[in-house]
Amino acid sequence: MEFRDYYEVLGVARDASADDIKRAYRKLARKYHPDVNKAADAEQRMKEVNEANAVLSDPERRAAYDQLGRGFHAGQDFRPPPDWDAGFEFTRGGDAGDFSDFFSTMFGQMGHGRGGHFRTRGEDHHAKVVIDLDDAFHGATREIKLRSPQVDSHGRVGTQERTLQVRIPKGVRNGQQIRLAGQGMPGAGGAQAGDLYLEVHFRPHPRYRVDGRDIHETVPVAPWEAALGATIEVPTPAGPVSVRVPPGSQNGRKLRLKGRGIPASDAGDLYLVLEIVLPPADSDAAREFYERMARELPFNPRQGL
């Protein structure tokens, strides 16, 4: 996917004010409007202008675009990093419209300011936060840094940061929202402030994979443990447990530990996926052992193919 330089599309500087962007958009909209411009590429250029304006005229989208797009140029290969939008505060509203894949990738899940509507109660804010899986198992209080757009007296957009102490409840699920009452936009005329909704996402873990409330974990076992059966100790998010590997276990076999997933009244399960790991034949004794198995065991793994 190619990076789109919205400032270049509108022909404005990166520190352009809201009025600068509005003037540039109106000028280009008149130039490429299909009722005026009959060129073959006029419709496509108009779409590009509309898309650039949808981002740069919205303080929330513009702040996110400015942060993520630093160092990129138009046409450059672009892949947004995972969880790039974590910590951005935004208001719900709108969708990706008839815009490019670049726009949809960046802003398809984000809202944008509604603007123009007077509301007595303050608007609710939303933000994505990334936590460790361990916090979901035990609960925690974490310091969360959030960024939101700030428009200065000249109409230029920057970001302001605030820090909140947030209680992560034990048993929180991936995608669940934590509501912080009164932490959204202030109300008009001293009225009640809106709320802040934090959407929880788990940081990728090298050992565990989360599926709803269930946890999946790959567990290495030696060939003799799988063939003969064994009791092994396995690390889990809740602490080490002793697990019985049944005799004759094959690679990929799943062992279910009921209720050892993410805790709740309907706690998830922990699935241990066995991975048989062969010792390396890196010594004379090891090679001799493998050669003896090859001679004495009547075993053909490809039988029946």
Side-chain angles (χ1 to χ4, degrees):
M1 182 170 61
E2 293 184 352
F3 182 80
R4 294 201 165 197
D5 189 331
Y6 293 132
Y7 292 99
E8 184 178 289
V9 171
L10 292 186
V12 296
R14 293 192 172 272
D15 61 352
S17 68
D19 287 339
D20 293 336
I21 290 168
K22 186 182 298 184
R23 282 193 293 269
Y25 170 70
R26 288 176 176 173
K27 179 180 178 181
L28 292 172
R30 288 193 296 268
K31 178 179 179 180
Y32 292 114
H33 194 281
D35 291 343
V36 176
N37 194 323
K38 302 302 181 183
D41 65 342
E43 182 178 354
Q44 180 59 35
R45 295 296 297 273
M46 191 68 242
K47 284 184 177 180
E48 292 173 357
V49 168
N50 284 334
E51 180 175 320
N53 183 63
V55 173
L56 299 186
S57 65
D58 183 285
E60 292 178 348
R61 286 175 176 162
R62 185 178 177 182
Y65 173 77
D66 286 348
Q67 173 154 321
L68 185 61
R70 288 194 188 103
F72 286 95
H73 305 285
Q76 186 176 350
D77 186 56
F78 176 78
R79 290 291 180 273
D83 299 322
W84 71 268
D85 54 341
F88 273 105
E89 289 189 57
F90 60 95
T91 50
R92 295 290 189 192
D95 56 32
D98 184 25
F99 292 147
S100 67
D101 290 342
F102 174 79
F103 181 97
S104 298
T105 298
M106 288 192 69
F107 304 108
Q109 299 304 316
M110 290 184 69
H112 62 72
R114 293 183 177 88
H117 298 285
F118 178 77
R119 293 170 181 255
T120 303
R121 179 183 179 276
E123 290 238 47
D124 293 337
H125 270 198
H126 301 258
K128 174 181 177 180
V129 295
V130 181
I131 67 170
D132 291 326
L133 181 60
D134 185 66
D135 293 341
F137 269 80
H138 304 288
T141 298
R142 292 285 179 253
E143 187 177 87
I144 304 294
K145 293 184 183 298
L146 299 176
R147 290 154 291 161
S148 59
Q150 184 178 40
V151 183
D152 65 17
S153 59
H154 301 289
R156 297 184 179 92
V157 177
T159 57
Q160 59 182 352
E161 187 175 276
R162 63 169 170 161
T163 301
L164 298 173
Q165 294 291 326
V166 178
R167 175 63 186 167
I168 308 297
K170 179 179 179 179
V172 67
R173 299 186 312 278
N174 195 54
Q176 182 175 332
Q177 291 190 343
I178 299 174
R179 173 176 170 264
L180 301 183
Q183 291 292 340
M185 285 286 289
Q192 181 183 2
D195 299 332
L196 171 63
Y197 291 87
L198 301 178
E199 184 175 298
V200 172
H201 290 257
F202 294 145
R203 188 169 286 110
H205 196 283
R207 184 182 301 124
Y208 308 119
R209 179 176 64 83
V210 180
D211 181 13
R213 288 197 181 278
D214 295 334
I215 307 292
H216 297 257
E217 176 182 2
T218 299
V219 179
V221 293
W224 47 88
E225 291 173 329
L228 305 176
T231 298
I232 61 174
E233 188 172 89
V234 177
T236 76
V241 296
S242 293
V243 177
R244 176 65 182 168
V245 178
S249 292
Q250 295 293 322
N251 195 63
R253 180 170 184 170
K254 286 185 178 180
L255 306 180
R256 177 186 177 213
L257 303 186
K258 184 175 175 57
R260 290 190 175 269
I262 293 179
S265 56
D266 56 341
D269 300 328
L270 174 63
Y271 290 91
L272 305 179
V273 183
L274 301 184
E275 179 183 49
I276 299 175
V277 180
L278 298 177
D282 56 359
S283 67
D284 290 341
R287 284 191 294 273
E288 181 183 348
F289 182 77
Y290 277 116
E291 289 166 358
R292 186 158 61 88
M293 282 199 298
R295 290 193 305 269
E296 298 181 9
L297 293 180
F299 177 65
N300 180 5
R302 291 167 298 283
Q303 187 173 359
L305 293 182

